[in-house]
Amino acid sequence: MGSADGRDLAYRGCVWVYRYAVVTGANKGIGLETVRQLASQGITVVLTARDEKRGTEATRKLHQFGLSNVVFHQLDVLDSLSIQSLAKFIQDTFGRLDILVNNAGTSGAEADEKDIEALNIDPADWQLSGKARNLVQGIITHTYEQGEACINTNYYGVKRVTESFLPLLQLSPTGARIVNVSSCRGELKRIPIQHIRNELQDIKTLSEEGIDATLKKFLHDLKDNALEANEWTMMLPSYSISKASLNAYTRILAKKYPNMLINCVHPGFVNTDLTLHNGILTVEEGAKGSVMLALLPDTGP
Ligand SMILES: NC(=O)c1ccc[n+]([C@@H]2O[C@H](COP(=O)([O-])OP(=O)(O)OC[C@H]3O[C@@H](n4cnc5c(N)ncnc54)[C@H](OP(=O)(O)O)[C@@H]3O)[C@@H](O)[C@H]2O)c1
């Protein structure tokens, strides 16, 4: 329901309340579009970006479209001080948080857009690890530094942000929604090592310590140039394990906080910088899943 000033209102315990959201990595791509769609529904959204200039510019554009309910705040998910500063801003400005969309992400790999374009890969083949891997071998590079940054952003970045915001999320009268933007690359079936697949899928024994141990082993093998020998997936290896770990962490969180609706989503293969613009979906289509999960009714999963 909308209020007279167009802001979203939710009915809770005989009172109408506004909802407040944070989207990480929102200066471009799926994150920016997620902010636009949430703000269009009247939610007050904090658009965050690690780069102040890129973030304020993106916010200015949304203001030009009449979305004055978008506020900018700097956030680098690798930087604890930056996370604390945003948490303090939310506490002081809104007093709580209703929706957290952990969207910021990086591929952990590098390739020249033109080299990939020249391969003219069928979009359907990108979804098939084996086929795409053979096609792009030698064109996509993944160093230890890129892999470490990828895991630190896609997995530990989400953990850092979520843990810092949990006290604010617990104050949501609507039962907070947490959306972790994952990827089909993190599907368990894409992990060739059976005992790691088993560990990551068993909710009874799943633990953050167990995920840490898996990531430590992965980074050790990446450093030793031993990924293939130790049977890790070779299609975007760091990205894949970071998102598989994120899925597992989402399940741990959902079990621990049954009063919140905590989910992860694969946005599809979207035309953004991350996919070097090979994706077949528009950002409008790619953001739909995040927005749907952010606005789940109370009966949602
Ligand atoms: N596009 C797809 O097909 C696809 C498929 C599956 C999953 N995903 C996931 O969707 C999410 C969004 O990706 P996208 O395709 O929209 O990519 P994108 O256009 O490259 O956007 C990624 C965003 O993350 C930000 N970011 C990176 N490191 C950060 C950090 N340390 N702190 C804060 N922000 C940081 C980037 O900021 P800068 O501009 O400063 O670099 C950028 O705003 C990611 O989690 C990605 O893994 C995308």
Side-chain angles (χ1 to χ4, degrees):
M1 140 126 196
S3 66
D5 63 2
R7 287 198 288 166
D8 161 87
L9 278 171
Y11 192 60
R12 285 294 171 284
C14 304
V15 286
W16 291 96
V17 292
Y18 292 111
R19 282 190 284 178
Y20 304 108
V22 163
V23 182
T24 70
N27 53 291
K28 64 179 181 181
I30 298 167
L32 174 58
E33 177 59 20
T34 302
V35 172
R36 193 192 66 77
Q37 291 186 20
L38 286 175
S40 300
Q41 303 234 19
I43 310 285
T44 300
V45 191
V46 186
L47 180 158
T48 69
R50 59 179 161 180
D51 183 275
E52 192 107 20
K53 196 158 167 258
R54 289 196 285 270
T56 44
E57 181 55 19
T59 308
R60 194 184 58 78
K61 282 190 185 142
L62 293 181
H63 287 171
Q64 279 177 349
F65 284 107
L67 297 171
S68 56
N69 49 335
V70 176
V71 183
F72 171 69
H73 199 282
Q74 192 272 347
L75 175 70
D76 184 339
V77 304
L78 297 177
D79 177 355
S80 297
L81 285 179
S82 162
I83 297 171
Q84 277 171 31
S85 159
L86 175 59
K88 184 171 182 327
F89 169 78
I90 292 165
Q91 172 71 62
D92 295 348
T93 316
F94 309 121
R96 67 163 197 277
L97 187 62
D98 302 299
I99 297 165
L100 170 62
V101 183
N102 285 308
N103 168 83
T106 176
S107 69
E110 239 172 54
D112 190 303
E113 201 166 326
K114 288 201 181 70
D115 290 344
I116 295 283
E117 207 177 296
L119 290 173
N120 205 11
I121 300 173
D122 186 317
D125 291 342
W126 278 110
Q127 312 291 324
L128 306 167
S129 288
K131 194 155 186 185
R133 183 211 144 179
N134 292 339
L135 291 167
V136 300
Q137 227 177 9
I139 290 185
I140 295 185
T141 59
H142 36 84
T143 63
Y144 177 76
E145 287 68 29
Q146 288 162 347
E148 198 183 29
C150 174
I151 287 170
N152 207 358
T153 306
N154 299 0
Y155 179 67
Y156 289 107
V158 172
K159 271 190 79 173
R160 256 180 238 114
V161 170
T162 307
E163 279 163 15
S164 300
F165 291 1
L166 272 170
L168 290 162
L169 289 160
Q170 277 170 318
L171 296 175
S172 172
T174 56
R177 275 54 169 163
I178 302 178
V179 183
N180 291 335
V181 184
S182 187
S183 167
C184 67
R185 295 276 163 226
E187 281 179 312
L188 289 169
K189 69 176 185 194
R190 294 178 197 259
I191 298 178
I193 310 170
Q194 193 178 345
H195 76 92
I196 291 188
R197 240 183 6 251
N198 292 346
E199 271 166 34
L200 290 177
Q201 77 183 351
D202 187 354
I203 188 65
K204 289 195 287 299
T205 53
L206 206 51
S207 71
E208 290 171 47
E209 294 73 25
I211 299 173
D212 286 344
T214 297
L215 291 173
K216 197 170 165 197
K217 166 81 176 119
F218 172 85
L219 285 170
H220 178 271
D221 287 348
L222 178 60
K223 199 172 222 168
D224 277 6
N225 209 8
L227 290 185
E228 196 151 21
N230 286 313
E231 296 178 45
W232 296 97
T233 179
M234 293 307 288
M235 181 60 190
L236 298 175
S238 308
Y239 186 74
S240 297
I241 196 67
S242 74
K243 296 294 190 181
S245 303
L246 177 62
N247 294 345
Y249 176 61
T250 307
R251 296 184 73 198
I252 293 173
L253 273 181
K255 191 175 163 192
K256 201 165 164 189
Y257 299 99
N259 60 324
M260 302 185 195
L261 300 183
I262 304 173
N263 289 282
C264 46
V265 60
H266 167 57
F269 190 34
V270 186
N271 182 350
T272 64
D273 286 353
L274 188 118
T275 57
L276 304 174
H277 299 279
N278 283 279
I280 48 174
L281 300 180
T282 63
V283 285
E284 287 82 0
E285 292 166 319
K288 270 187 188 163
S290 295
V291 171
M292 187 264 280
L293 292 175
L295 301 179
L296 277 176
D298 295 348
T299 50

